[in-house]
Amino acid sequence: MEVIAVDIGGTHARFAIAEVKDGHVVRLGEPTTLKTAEHGSLQLAWQAFGRTLGRPLPRMAGIAVASPINDDLIKLTNNPWIIRPRLITERLGVDQWTLINDFGAIGHAVAQLGDDAFLHVCGPEGPLPAKGSLTVCGPGTGLGVAQVFRHARGYNVIETEGGHMDFAPLDGIEDAMLKRLRKTYTRVSAERIASGPGIVPIYETLAEMEGEPVKSRSDRDIWDMAFSGTDSLASAAMDRFCLSLGAIAGDLALAHGPKGVVIAGGLGLRLKDHLISSGFGERFVAKGRFQSLMASVPVKLITHPQPGLYGAAAAFAQEHTA
């Protein structure tokens, strides 16, 4: 059957038509990407997508949302939209639907995609384990986290808000990063560092340590300078970002049961080449008495261009067609 797959993040809302059967995704169509700032609600963005499609929309939907899911009122973490699940059938004109956290959706994608959708980052070579717990985490507008548990009968996805655990500095530079962030936030979460906007306090901390003027720059500008190599401070900030992400990913794996880790998120994919050559792997395993255990954990990067859309369709398929 045809399903509308939707992936709503802090900056973009993505739509595609998917075909699902027997609990799995058969095909994912070409995505349409809309800016959330240009549409007042999910319903309005949904209607805009329908106009681009030029034919009646399917009456089934898998919807991934960058927010904790509840039955009453969903306020997106990094997006002003409000979603009322009880009104989805009426407002979107669908008969069946699945609503899932955005990284829960990516968990479904991790569980269903083949080995060719993953790039090795560190740890043992070879595919992800067929059984046991997998940690899925990824930097984007925020830091998304989910857990996938594979077993003999299939898999389960556990949606989490692990990106909001406390940030734990491991050296003097990260102490300075935390101190800087505490001037603004009483409590500093991992997401304040390991997300797209997190490059800003890293960059500003390094500038201050070097005795340079702390220029006000957007996270987009700093990332552009880092990837182009045109600014040494931005390059150093990107290196530090990868170190911190490695430590955080290792902490999450310890909490979930360290069998395998998948890095996702739009920024994760942009960092593909840099993650492998950075100190990410060393920080991932640097867990004191558990260092040898962490060294046995494979870490992969998901390379599918639209894992959120794929996972939203997969979550619908698991709930309604398995």
Side-chain angles (χ1 to χ4, degrees):
M1 67 173 66
E2 281 194 333
V3 175
I4 304 173
V6 187
D7 179 20
I8 305 169
T11 306
H12 296 104
R14 296 175 174 87
F15 298 81
I17 303 298
E19 294 178 15
V20 300
K21 182 180 180 181
D22 299 333
H24 289 79
V25 178
V26 177
R27 187 185 70 86
L28 181 68
E30 193 68 24
T32 296
T33 301
L34 304 177
K35 291 184 177 180
T36 56
E38 295 177 357
H39 300 275
S41 68
L42 170 58
Q43 183 181 14
L44 291 171
W46 180 281
Q47 292 168 352
F49 168 65
R51 290 191 293 271
T52 68
L53 197 63
R55 66 176 177 89
L57 291 172
R59 297 187 65 86
M60 315 289 178
I63 304 170
V65 179
S67 172
I69 302 299
N70 62 66
D71 293 332
D72 298 317
L73 185 69
I74 298 173
K75 295 181 179 180
L76 278 75
T77 307
N78 295 298
N79 174 336
W81 288 1
I82 293 174
I83 298 173
R84 295 175 175 84
R86 298 179 193 278
L87 299 180
I88 284 178
T89 298
E90 172 190 342
R91 293 193 173 178
L92 302 186
V94 292
D95 299 320
Q96 287 184 312
W97 49 271
T98 293
L99 187 63
I100 188 170
N101 169 267
D102 60 337
F103 259 75
I106 292 179
H108 280 275
V110 167
Q112 291 202 16
L113 286 167
D115 293 338
D116 59 348
F118 301 94
L119 177 71
H120 184 73
V121 177
C122 62
E125 297 275 1
L128 291 165
K131 291 184 179 180
S133 176
L134 303 177
T135 295
V136 184
C137 65
T141 306
L143 176 63
V145 180
Q147 184 180 11
V148 178
F149 187 76
R150 286 175 158 172
H151 48 78
R153 298 177 302 281
Y155 70 89
N156 297 99
V157 175
I158 302 168
E159 303 170 29
T160 86
E161 290 300 326
H164 298 284
M165 67 184 185
D166 293 337
F167 172 65
L170 295 177
D171 60 19
I173 294 176
E174 289 181 351
D175 285 339
M177 288 156 48
L178 180 61
K179 183 178 180 181
R180 185 176 196 84
L181 281 162
R182 277 196 175 140
K183 294 176 182 178
T184 304
Y185 308 104
T186 304
R187 174 184 175 272
V188 178
S189 68
E191 182 176 88
R192 299 295 185 189
I193 296 294
S195 67
I199 197 75
V200 174
I202 299 174
Y203 181 87
E204 291 177 348
T205 299
L206 294 178
E208 189 173 44
M209 292 178 68
E210 293 295 324
E212 297 190 14
V214 180
K215 299 177 182 178
S216 178
R217 299 186 187 275
S218 70
D219 57 297
R220 182 184 296 273
D221 288 342
I222 297 171
W223 282 115
D224 286 345
M225 292 189 298
F227 282 115
S228 66
T230 57
D231 184 279
S232 57
L233 270 177
S235 297
M238 181 163 65
D239 289 339
R240 174 56 57 170
F241 180 93
C242 290
L243 290 177
S244 297
L245 180 61
I248 291 165
D251 288 342
L252 290 165
L254 281 174
H256 290 165
K259 296 293 183 182
V261 172
V262 175
I263 304 298
L267 183 54
L269 191 55
R270 286 187 72 193
L271 284 166
K272 176 179 67 174
D273 297 328
H274 199 76
L275 275 181
I276 296 170
S277 61
S278 72
F280 174 97
E282 287 77 6
R283 274 292 191 91
F284 179 82
V285 302
K287 301 300 175 189
R289 291 169 291 170
F290 289 91
Q291 183 159 331
S292 60
L293 173 64
M294 296 302 290
S296 71
V297 179
V299 180
K300 308 288 185 181
L301 176 72
I302 190 168
T303 58
H304 190 283
Q306 297 292 343
L309 285 175
Y310 190 101
F316 177 92
Q318 281 283 300
E319 182 175 356
H320 297 287
T321 71

